[in-house]
Amino acid sequence: MADRYRMGESSLAWIPFVEYGFPCAAGGYRLSYLEGAQFQAFLSTSSSAESVAARAIEEIRFRIMKFAEMSGLHVNPNKSTIILSKAVRSERMAILDFMGFQEAVLPIKYLGVPLIASRLTVANCQPLIDRFNSRLAGYAKVSWLQVCKPKEEGGLGIRRVLFMNQALMLRLIWRILQRDPRSIWVAWVLRYRLRSQTLWTSSVTAAPWCWWKLLKLCPLLRDGLDYRVGDGCQFKLWGDIWHPRGPLLLSFPRGPRITGLPADSMMQAVIQQGQWSWPSSTDLDIQEIVSDLPLIYPHQTDEIKWKFNKGILWASRRWRGTHLLNMASRALLAAIVYHIWGERNSRRFLATSSSADSVAARAIDEVRYRIMSEHLQPSLQSYVLHRVWKIPWDGH
């Protein structure tokens, strides 16, 4: 039965998404990039839900067989289970017979972690937590902050999972802001999640949990972004943070009504020939907005960049080359940024703080220890370097 659909290749994997409507956006977006006659024919047929499910199962089985053929790793039916949704209950026995797997029902455990259809709660993970606690009983407790410090500072150099997770989620936000053309997920978010809104005006009320978590992290990026207005074709007039006041729709909600510019207007509505062209108004808020407009970059597209500190730019140009003093200065700059960011995270998430002198001392000591760990050849540069950084010089 699987031979019947082998010619469909990867396009068949989209059939259940398109015809079941989950998510319709993904299927519709995929269709715009696929022009195969067979794929379009499947979309145009009025197949029942049962036949769609059958074709999807055939495709899954074919992929498993193909994987076994290529890798030599074969599925053990006695150790394999399949979980069926309510949508295919009428085909339950046919699917089980065809796949040869046993049926399982959520929740189940995989590698000790419960798998459920909803978001994991503390109660779901409590048995696993209890097992960890029982295994750790008797071991000396060490501060996690100490463990996550660099080895040079007495830690183990382990990265904090919290910070790594936030960094990866912020990367997703950055891809949305950049409208990454390579990502189907970004296209789906822009078209069906945000629609006429932006990340800065999208409401977290009744939002899915994962989307809510992303939106909660947006303020971490806001101060570091530089919105450069060009032709006005990419930025939302009322929803993006191109203006010093932030999203105008939040600080000036009656703006669309007063100006006659809809809430989903693009920046190009107030730009003509590379110059600002706002509707004339006696409203004080409009006058305040117009009096503080940013610079327009004519003949360029709208662009979002990271704000770059001028002092850092000067330092990066001043401390070029392979001279030991310049290399040490660059290392100090990196250490300062690292420890200031760590101090910021400690104050924000752990409610602990250190003095400015303490943060500076940690950055200086890190560079000093790094210099001491290097096997430098005796030279005038080495001597000057040790003297500047107040490191004992033995001449060897």
Side-chain angles (χ1 to χ4, degrees):
M1 183 163 55
D3 294 337
R4 178 183 171 187
Y5 298 103
R6 287 192 178 184
M7 297 299 294
E9 298 183 349
S10 60
S11 62
L12 277 173
W14 290 89
I15 291 175
F17 295 100
V18 175
E19 296 197 29
Y20 273 135
F22 177 75
C24 293
Y29 185 79
R30 182 72 172 184
L31 180 60
S32 65
Y33 281 83
L34 289 177
E35 298 180 356
Q38 187 174 8
F39 182 74
Q40 292 180 351
F42 274 119
L43 289 181
S44 63
T45 57
S46 57
S47 303
S48 63
E50 289 79 3
S51 61
V52 173
R55 292 203 302 273
I57 292 298
E58 290 171 2
E59 178 68 12
I60 292 172
R61 185 185 178 187
F62 170 68
R63 295 301 171 188
I64 293 176
M65 294 169 60
K66 196 67 175 178
F67 173 79
E69 178 184 335
M70 298 176 63
S71 66
L73 301 175
H74 295 270
V75 176
N76 186 343
N78 296 326
K79 296 183 179 180
S80 303
T81 58
I82 185 170
I83 300 172
L84 303 176
S85 67
K86 296 180 180 180
V88 293
R89 281 299 173 185
S90 59
E91 293 286 308
R92 173 178 170 274
M93 293 306 301
I95 293 174
L96 294 177
D97 291 341
F98 183 70
M99 295 297 297
F101 296 162
Q102 299 178 7
E103 184 179 10
V105 180
L106 294 177
I108 62 175
K109 287 186 178 181
Y110 179 73
L111 299 179
V113 179
L115 299 181
I116 59 177
S118 59
R119 182 164 63 97
L120 284 173
T121 63
V122 176
N124 297 132
C125 298
Q126 193 60 48
L128 184 61
I129 296 174
D130 294 339
R131 289 181 60 187
F132 271 111
N133 289 336
S134 63
R135 294 279 185 94
L136 295 175
Y139 286 89
K141 293 185 178 180
V142 181
S143 170
W144 189 246
L145 290 178
Q146 184 67 27
V147 171
C148 292
K149 288 183 178 179
K151 294 181 179 180
E152 295 81 1
E153 298 181 17
L156 298 180
I158 300 175
R159 293 184 177 182
R160 294 201 62 190
V161 177
L162 173 64
F163 297 157
M164 287 298 299
N165 183 59
Q166 288 181 341
L168 294 174
M169 294 177 69
L170 290 173
R171 179 63 180 172
L172 292 178
I173 296 175
W174 176 252
R175 293 177 67 184
I176 296 174
L177 292 174
Q178 294 294 319
R179 298 175 174 267
D180 188 348
R182 301 166 298 176
S183 173
I184 293 179
W185 176 78
V186 169
W188 181 85
V189 166
L190 293 174
R191 184 174 179 181
Y192 293 93
R193 178 63 66 187
L194 289 177
R195 299 183 181 180
S196 62
Q197 295 182 321
T198 67
L199 286 172
W200 318 109
T201 59
S202 181
S203 174
V204 298
T205 305
W209 180 76
C210 58
W211 182 246
W212 176 81
K213 294 291 288 186
L214 281 177
L215 293 179
K216 295 291 285 186
L217 287 177
C218 286
L220 295 181
L221 282 180
R222 179 169 173 170
D223 293 338
L225 298 178
D226 182 15
Y227 274 65
R228 298 191 177 186
V229 181
D231 55 14
C233 295
Q234 298 295 326
F235 294 163
K236 297 283 188 180
L237 174 61
W238 302 106
D240 276 315
I241 55 174
W242 59 272
H243 196 274
R245 294 180 60 167
L248 298 180
L249 192 61
L250 300 182
S251 61
F252 185 42
R254 55 193 183 91
R257 177 175 55 84
I258 291 179
T259 60
L261 299 172
D264 60 350
S265 298
M266 306 301 291
M267 291 290 301
Q268 60 185 351
V270 292
I271 297 177
Q272 289 186 2
Q273 299 180 349
Q275 301 292 328
W276 291 111
S277 178
W278 277 78
S280 59
S281 175
T282 58
D283 186 87
L284 294 180
D285 283 316
I286 291 294
Q287 293 182 13
E288 182 179 344
I289 292 173
V290 173
S291 66
D292 198 17
L293 292 174
L295 178 68
I296 294 179
Y297 293 82
H299 312 297
Q300 296 183 18
T301 59
D302 298 335
E303 188 177 17
I304 303 176
K305 289 190 174 183
W306 290 106
K307 291 181 179 177
F308 203 66
N309 185 278
K310 293 183 179 179
I312 295 179
L313 181 61
W314 174 88
S316 64
R317 293 175 177 174
R318 174 68 176 80
W319 295 330
R320 291 178 176 177
T322 58
H323 194 285
L324 293 179
L325 286 178
N326 288 348
M327 295 174 66
S329 298
R330 292 199 300 268
L332 177 61
L333 175 60
I336 290 173
V337 173
Y338 171 81
H339 286 283
I340 289 178
W341 182 253
E343 177 64 20
R344 175 259 182 202
N345 289 336
S346 297
R347 295 186 180 188
R348 185 177 182 89
F349 302 110
L350 304 176
T352 61
S353 62
S354 302
S355 64
D357 292 339
S358 177
V359 175
R362 289 201 297 267
I364 294 173
D365 287 343
E366 180 176 324
V367 178
R368 185 179 288 120
Y369 293 149
R370 181 174 179 180
I371 295 174
M372 295 172 64
S373 66
E374 297 290 337
H375 299 287
L376 302 177
Q377 297 295 328
S379 65
L380 179 60
Q381 285 191 26
S382 300
Y383 171 73
V384 174
L385 179 67
H386 282 70
R387 183 172 181 178
V388 169
W389 286 89
K390 299 179 181 179
I391 300 173
W393 171 256
D394 55 8
H396 298 291

